[in-house]
Each structure stands twice: as C-alpha cells, then as structure tokens.
Amino acid sequence: MKGIRQLAKHLDISIGTVSRALNGRPDVNIETRKRVLAAAEELGYVANQSGRSLRQGTTNVIGLMIESSKETVENSDNFFLGVTGGLQSVLSRHKLDLLMLPCPNDEDPHEYLKRMVARRIVDAMIISATQRVDKRIDLLVKAKIPFVALGRSTSGGNHTWIDLDFEGVAACAVDRLVSKGHRRIAIAAPSNDINLGYIFVDAYRQALERHGIAYDPSLIIRVKSSEQGGYQAGHEMLRLDSKPTAIILIYELMAIGLYRRLNEAGIVPGRDLAVIGFREEPRGKFLQPSLTCFRMSLRDLGVELAETLLATMPAYAEHYPKGARNTIWPLELAPGESDAFSLSV
Amino acid sequence: MKGIRQLAKHLDISIGTVSRALNGRPDVNIETRKRVLAAAEELGYVANQSGRSLRQGTTNVIGLMIESSKETVENSDNFFLGVTGGLQSVLSRHKLDLLMLPCPNDEDPHEYLKRMVARRIVDAMIISATQRVDKRIDLLVKAKIPFVALGRSTSGGNHTWIDLDFEGVAACAVDRLVSKGHRRIAIAAPSNDINLGYIFVDAYRQALERHGIAYDPSLIIRVKSSEQGGYQAGHEMLRLDSKPTAIILIYELMAIGLYRRLNEAGIVPGRDLAVIGFREEPRGKFLQPSLTCFRMSLRDLGVELAETLLATMPAYAEHYPKGARNTIWPLELAPGESDAFSLSV
DNA sequence: GCGCTTTCCGGAAACGTTTTAGTATGGCAA
DNA sequence: TTGCCATACTAAAACGTTTCCGGAAAGCGC
C-alpha cells in the first residue's frame, strides 16, 4: 500500500478527503487540511503523476520540442537555455513544468512529435525551428493540442506563432550600411527552404529598393549556415567582378569562416569591408574586430512565448488576454567594429 | 470510449488481446497480431502513457537534468545538445525516450529534483553540474532511482559517475608548457567549491611537483568562470611581481576576457605569453590567435553515459556488463597558436 | 475415447489518483 | 416538533492500460 492511501490510513481519514485537502478544494475542514498538509510534508508524499494524469486527463507539463539534427545544433544550447529561463518564470506561477523534448537526429521530427503527442505526456507544446511548410503544425492543429510555434509557417491556417523580426533587422542593417555610403551590399544566407533564408533575403531586397538601389542577384550568396559556409561566402564574394563593399551574414557562425577567408586575402573587416552579423551570441565577442550584430533578450522572448501559449490554453486563457496571436520579436543593434568601413566623406 | 477499447471493439476482439498483440507478447496468433497492428496504424492509435505508466510502474523515460543558471548557460554552448545526440542513439534502441528537465533558476536544484522524482515521470536520471557535495545524489540513492552523475562527488557513497579527465588535461597542459621551457605557469580557475576548481588545480599542482617545480600559490588565480573572470585573471596576472610566462584557463569563455586584457597591455598570446584553454568549443575557433585547448567527442560521451546508465537499471543491465561504475573521460589536445611562445633554445 | 499439452483468447483485477454522489451531523427557522 | 440547509466527510466510480488466471479449442499419442 503506497501513496495517498498510506497517507490516508496514517491520518485515519478517507483518501478522498486527503486528495481534496491537498488540492485546495473548499469542502474540507481547515483543521483537517492542516493535518493533511503536515503529514504529507512529513512523509514526503507527492502525488504520482501517472495516476493524476490518468484521472484528470492533464499532465501539467509543457513541452518544448528542439531539434538537435540541424546545423542549428552548433549554436542552440545558449538559445534554448536562455529562452527556457523566461518560459519557466511564467509557467511556474501556474504550477506547470517545462520539459524539453529533443528530437533524435535519426527520427523524423514529424513522427517524433506525433509519438509524443499521442502518448499524452504534455498538455501543450512549443515547437522551434519551424519550417516554411511544416507538417508538425497540421498535426498539432488536428490533435487539438494548444501550441505556439517559434517561427512562422504557411502550414495549418493561421496558427499562433512568434518569430524574430527579420524584416526589421534586414532593414536596419541595410539602412546603416547605406548611410555609410555603401551601394553594393552582399548577403550570405541559406536557401529559400529555410524560413530565415526566404524572409530575410526578401526583406533585404525591399530595403534596397527603398533606397533606390538596383537589386543584383549575384550579391545573394547562398551557403550553408556554418563556419564553412562563411568561408565559402567570402570566397564567392571575392570572385565577383564588381566586388561588394559590405556584407550581411545571417548566422553568426559564418563570421569566423568569412574572417578567415578575408584574412587570406589581406582584407581586414571594418577597414576594407563592412560586415554585419545577425543574432548576437556569446562567441561573437570572440571575434576581432568585434562583430556588429543584433541583440535580443532571450529571457523576455521566453516570457512572451509562455504568455502566448497560456493564452491558447482554455484552462489558463482567462489570465492572458489573447491579443495578437502572431508576434514579431524585435532585436536591437549591438554595434561593433566590423562595420566601421565607410564610403562617406 | 477511447483508446485501446475502441480499437478492440473495432476489431471485435478483447482489449487484453489487443494489448498483448501491440506489446509483442508471444501468446497471440500471428494473424491476429497483424490485424491489430494494421488497425492501430490506420486509426493512429498510440497507447496513453499515463495508463501504461500507472499499470507498469514504469515510464520509459530517461531524464537529463540541466541547470539553466547563468554561468552554466554561458559555458555550456553546445554541450548538452551534443551529448543528447549520443544519449539518444543508445536509448532509442530500447524504446526509451530522453527528456531534458531544466531546473528553474529560482528553484533549488535539490527541491526540483525531489519533485520530479516523486512525481515519477522518469525511470532514471542523469544529473549534470554535480557539486562536490551534492544533496541530489543522496536523494536519488534514497529513492532508489537509477542514475548516473556527470561529475564526481563525495556524496552518496560510491555512486556511478562519469567525469572529464581533469587530471590528464592538467598534466598534459603542464607537461606541454614545461617542455617549452616554462617554469612559472599560472592557472585561472573557479573556487574550490566547484568540483572542477578543486580537482583541476590539484592535478595542476601535482604535475608541477612531478617536474620539480615549486608550487607558488600566487599563480593560482581564482576568478569567475566568465569573460569578466578572464579579464580579471589577466589583470591579476600582470600585477604579479614575478610574472608567469604561461597561463592555463579552465573555461573557454575566460579566453576572450584574457585576450582583451592582454591586448590592452600590448601582450600578444602565443608570442609573449603561452595560453592553453580547457574544453574546446565552437566559439574557441573565433579567437585570434587560435586557442590551444582540449577536445572530446560529445556524442561519444553521450553514448558512454547512456550505456553506464542502462547498466544500473535492472531491466536493461543484462545487455550492459557493468564494468567500472566510474569513468574518467579522456580529452585530446587540440593544438592552436596561443601556446606557441617558447623559452627553449 | 481418453488424457495431456499447446495455442490462443476473454474476463477481470490492479495501478494511484480525482471527483461525483451520497450521508451523517448539527444548526436554524418555522 | 419538522423541515431545510450547510458543513465535512466517506464510499465508490472512473481514467486507460497491462497482466494474471482460467478456459475453450485443437492437436497428439496411446
């Protein structure tokens, strides 16, 4: 005999009363409640999650699905752990626990999520690394699991998502470079299949148009989002007939490869070429000259994610007025030395 | 009516048989099994985890507890996701799922783990960031939860653990520097409270003794494991009357601060001072000159962790001969330019 | 035909909890 | 007194699954 039954017997009380006492139900004598809570503390009793989940149909667990398969693994620890802090600060107020579900490399993310959802180990999900077309969204919609996606997608109608302000960042980067007299601005980005690649480059193009600068496809360098990709981007850039005077990188990690290639060519970032990166990461500080890039509070993003998610959960929605179901998350410029190179007088 | 009952009704078969068919029990007709599996696939049936956990007393989930404290996050980089890959490659063979349990910043890790254990959402645990005295170990031992600690500890008798080969690394670093003629070798480390700080410095001292070099306490610089800590280490080092000609850093992140302080003093790493870091991380490559440090396969470490853990779980131990319950994980030297400075002829 | 084993399946108990329905008690108004 | 309500509790059902136990049917040797 274990669990609540033992506790009930120890107190010589029915298990129903014990349960109600522990769960703060109204119809239990204040004295009794005190005794129950004291005994629970003393015996170290904590309700078995399987039992209560089975009965209630709820787990009090929020899942954060992360993929360790992509190239994103290179820089994701920091990101997810940072966001996690903000998430928990909100979720813990509702006695919700956050579990991270890492999708195995060799398993299809869609299948993995399907398994997790079917097993009912979470009440709601946050999915990351959203693709432009993402079957996971349809799955969650169909299964009626509350969720929010980190990254926009064309799947599943108008689902709830939060995404970084790629448009704003691209515009800011272009504006800044143009204000320094640059006209030929290259961009190193992954392919259009990746959400980021598509949106970012599109915003870059629009920003150029706004400044009346002709769009030159040769300045869009499609590479892997890795160190090698950065090296290759530098390489291809140097092979252009009409060389750019500035370049925007979408992944921080590209910077190291680019710097290396530039170094081989005797080009100094910030002196001979303006370089702007995207999302600030701790290691960006390791570069010399330091990389100009864009910064955001991972913790605040986590808070926003949590509140958005709770707004989609019927049991919690009352506390969170569901305003915009889609949020564009702003980043701020973190100036460095790498874009000091100016063509202005 | 949901779940297995519906499936059984659909097949006009008892639920007991359906369950046995799905779980690969022997006493079910091959034809029946096929029908059941086909129907399950068709209807998208997956067993409710709460139900089966409640009945079996097992969850088929392994927990990896991580701490999202600021210092851990900054130093982890891709550590956890790297290890996760290796873990899953082993666990998935046994149909075990890995969940990461991030301890909230504002909750005591011991309390958090207690909650998670009591709720029985995992069958076994891997805990990281083990402290020299770690109550979590006693808790797990007492609760009889199979576990393995990433990091050694003096708590809980002789528990199972895996730790990095600090001794080997310290010895290798010292040997390498001594062979280049260095006699005054500083070390920047966190306080003795941190496992790493204690063991690493001790090993460093022993290595010096082996070379007949007198131990000088002033060369042990206790700083935070952060960029600022690195800067401070550089600062304190420069204030010494008799300056060291080499320095060993315990955290990669320290390197950036150190480099900055050295730069201010006009000292070039690798030319005027030999620098060796500890664990290689992607961001280490961003440094110029590149940092000499120590490398390991995170994936392999994950595999080792998983196999060690399974050996401690009665249900799986048969496949994993429980050899050494304690493992020292080796690292290999990753030579860079930062320790090129030599005093030899 | 009989006894035995093997194969396969159905019925039901059990896991630990929450929650509903029901009950005893006592107070209070009529 | 009776009737009614509020309070605080007990008993029991329910959640979805696995697994034990028993039994029907079939095969087999004699």
Side-chain angles (χ1 to χ4, degrees), chain A residues 174 177-178 182-187 204 208 219 244 246-248:
Chain A
V174 168
L177 291 171
V178 168
H182 295 279
R183 307 286 292 177
R184 288 191 62 73
I185 303 170
I187 185 167
Y204 150 89
L208 286 182
L219 290 179
I247 185 169
I248 299 171

Side-chain angles (χ1 to χ4, degrees), chain A residues 182-199:
Chain A
H182 295 279
R183 307 286 292 177
R184 288 191 62 73
I185 303 170
I187 185 167
S191 81
N192 267 345
D193 300 336
I194 312 288
N195 225 336
L196 180 52
Y198 177 79
I199 298 169

Side-chain angles (χ1 to χ4, degrees), chain A residues 47-66:
Chain A
N48 177 306
Q49 186 61 40
S50 300
R52 72 182 343 215
S53 292
L54 184 57
R55 172 64 225 230
Q56 304 194 118
T58 190
T59 63
N60 294 322
V61 169
I62 306 296
L64 167 61
M65 175 173 171
I66 62 190

Side-chain angles (χ1 to χ4, degrees), chain B residues 164-185:
Chain B
L164 305 189
D165 185 13
F166 302 133
E167 292 90 341
V169 167
C172 177
V174 169
D175 289 355
R176 185 173 167 93
L177 291 170
V178 168
S179 76
K180 293 189 177 185
H182 296 279
R183 308 286 292 178
R184 288 191 63 72
I185 302 169

Side-chain angles (χ1 to χ4, degrees), chain B residues 110-267:
Chain B
H110 178 248
E111 287 302 319
Y112 175 75
L113 181 60
K114 195 166 159 183
R115 242 177 60 224
M116 290 301 164
V117 163
R119 281 169 46 157
R120 314 242 142 216
I121 57 178
V122 299
D123 287 347
M125 286 286 312
I126 299 167
I127 64 174
S128 62
T130 313
Q131 304 290 310
R132 284 193 65 208
V133 175
D134 203 319
K135 284 193 298 179
R136 294 179 300 169
I137 307 243
D138 302 300
L139 170 67
L140 290 169
V141 168
K142 198 168 136 201
K144 296 204 171 78
I145 304 281
F147 76 100
V148 43
L150 190 47
R152 62 199 98 172
S153 155
T154 59
S155 303
N158 63 339
H159 63 279
T160 306
W161 53 258
I162 295 181
D163 206 357
L164 305 189
D165 185 13
F166 302 133
E167 292 90 341
V169 167
C172 177
V174 169
D175 289 355
R176 185 173 167 93
L177 291 170
V178 168
S179 76
K180 293 189 177 185
H182 296 279
R183 308 286 292 178
R184 288 191 63 72
I185 302 169
I187 184 168
S191 81
N192 266 347
D193 301 336
I194 312 288
N195 225 337
L196 181 52
Y198 177 79
I199 298 169
F200 206 116
V201 171
D202 200 54
Y204 150 89
R205 187 162 46 200
Q206 288 180 28
L208 285 182
E209 275 177 15
R210 221 180 317 113
H211 288 285
I213 299 177
Y215 163 67
D216 181 353
S218 72
L219 291 181
I220 298 179
I221 308 175
R222 299 290 188 176
V223 289
K224 295 266 184 198
S225 31
S226 61
E227 182 194 335
Q228 285 76 13
Y231 185 90
Q232 194 190 337
H235 193 69
E236 297 198 8
M237 187 185 72
L238 292 174
R239 282 172 46 193
L240 292 175
D241 292 332
S242 172
K243 294 186 182 42
T245 58
I247 185 169
I248 299 171
L249 305 174
I250 284 195
Y251 284 102
E252 202 84 352
L253 209 55
M254 287 178 178
I256 176 178
L258 177 71
Y259 271 43
R260 190 151 48 83
R261 185 63 187 86
L262 293 179
N263 187 47
E264 290 173 9
I267 297 174

